Structures are given as structure tokens and as C-alpha cells.
Amino acid sequence: MITNFKNPPSKKSEDKKNSVIFVASIIVVFILAGWMIMPPIDKISQICYWGNNVHFFFAKLTGSSAATEYIFHRNNAIYLAKMYRNKKIALTEMNKAIETLPIYASDDELKTLYKERAEIKLYLGEYKSALNDYINSDKITFNDNLKVAMLFKMVGNYRAALSFCNNIINADSAAYAGFACMADLYISAGRPDVALNVWDLAIDRNKNNPRAYADRALVKKSIGDMEGYNKDVKIAKEYSPGINIEKSIIEETLHPKILSLAIRR
């Protein structure tokens, strides 16, 4: 004889349980939906920011945070810049990274932090102080020359800006960025005629670059040469049918849409 058994759950209790699960699911969906539409838009960076803070919290508990505190603040600065593009909170964290750099760290590491702070400042539109950090870092690479040239232009030092444009051309005599750099300076100085000559030289050195034709077309348009404009646009589209004539490497340099600094561990 079976004497130890449980009564099967009633239909009423099952319905109640399913109702609770359904309501809980709806609440979770609404919470997630609310979180998704609330700032910041970059949710991946937000999650990583939380993870970075949790990781550092446990590092402090184990007494192993002293050597890595500056890395914690550096990574926070990157996450915050991506999340909010807020100058104050992101740069406050980057300043803390420099302040907490261990005294035994190398000068090269300090210069690297200055360079990285410059990248964040450029991303956030802090042009004058970004320029100072680039110069203080003493780590200006070939790819940084255009950035530094444009920052010097922003503060009105055209002579210094031109020297960095020349750095690009001297390293690569056919470098598109170098000619774009020089042409932009002459346009800003009110000399579109000289900028036109710069693009003539660029095309003479590399006749297959659609971007050079597009940029020369815009200069011609600015001086009223619509026939020359249309001709260069046609050539640019023959080389690259989908080219955006109005796209500007200068605009992309001064207003970068991506902060490409890697997270360090």
C-alpha cells in the first residue's frame, strides 16, 4: 500500500504561479527597456565601467590596488568619455590617473598618460589643452601630425601648424593627409588659390586618389569655378562611385567619432 504521496498541484495554484512569473517577466522587461533608453547610449561602456569599479573594489580589499590604481582611473576616464562625452568627469579621472602613477613608474609611462589624456581631450573638444598634452608627451607619431597641426591652427599658430603638415610630406611625399593639412591651412588663411596649387601637386604625385579630386573640387567651388568643380567630381566618382564629396579628413580629425584608446589591465 502506498502511504506517502503528495497531492498534485491544483489547477488554481498552477495558474497563480504562472501569473506571478508573467507579471515578474513584464516588470523585468520594463526595467530593461527603461535602462536601454536612459543615458548613456553606450551601454557596453557602462557595463564595462561597472565591472572596472567592482574589480578595483576587490583589489583594494586584497591590498593589491596600489600599483594599479592609476590604470583603474585611466580606464574609467575612457569609459566615461565614451558614455557621456562629459569633459569634467572624464578628465577628472584622467587627472587622477596621472596623480596616482607610482613614483617608481618610468618617464615613458608618464608621457604615455599625457598622450592618452590628449586623445581624450581631442575627443571631447578641449583643443587648447589637448595640444599642450600632445606637446608635453613628446610622443607625436606620424599619424599624430595632422591632429597637432589642426590643433595649432585652432589656437591661431599657423606657422607651427604648417611645420607639422610638412612632417607628413617629408615622411611620405605622396601622403594625402599632408596635402589636406596644407590646403586647409591656406583656405583658413584666405588663400584658396594656394590651396588649389597644393591639390594640383597632390594629384600630380598620385593621380588615382579620388579623395584628392573631391577636395580640389570643393576648392574650385569656393572660388566660383563650377565647371572645374563638376569635372573633378566626375573624375572622383569614376575612381570611387560611392564617394562622399563633402566628407573631410579635417572634420574627422577635429571631431573624432571614436575614441580608440584600448583598455589596459
Side-chain angles (χ1 to χ4, degrees), residues 32-53:
L32 286 175
W35 175 65
M36 289 298 294
I37 64 175
M38 289 176 62
I41 299 301
D42 189 345
K43 297 303 181 186
I44 294 177
S45 290
Q46 186 178 36
I47 293 171
C48 292
Y49 172 76
W50 291 340
N52 189 50
N53 280 269

Side-chain angles (χ1 to χ4, degrees), residues 17 35 58 76 138 171 173-174 185 199 202 220 232 238 265:
K17 179 181 178 182
W35 175 65
F58 283 107
N76 264 2
D138 196 29
S173 62
L185 289 180
W199 285 122
K220 289 180 178 180
D232 277 346
E238 286 175 354
R265 298 299 178 191

Side-chain angles (χ1 to χ4, degrees), residues 171-185:
D172 182 351
S173 62
Y176 163 72
F179 292 108
C181 183
M182 295 180 68
D184 181 76
L185 289 180

Side-chain angles (χ1 to χ4, degrees), residues 74 78 82 115-117 119-120 259-263:
R74 172 202 177 272
I78 295 171
K82 289 180 177 180
K115 171 77 174 293
E116 291 173 336
R117 188 171 67 177
E119 296 284 344
I120 293 174
L259 181 59
S260 58
L261 290 175
I263 297 301

Side-chain angles (χ1 to χ4, degrees), residues 23 49 69 86 116 119-120 127 136 140 164 198 210 252 258:
V23 171
Y49 172 76
E69 183 175 359
N86 183 297
E116 291 173 336
E119 296 284 344
I120 293 174
Y127 298 126
N136 289 334
I140 299 173
F164 282 92
V198 170
E252 292 174 350
I258 297 174

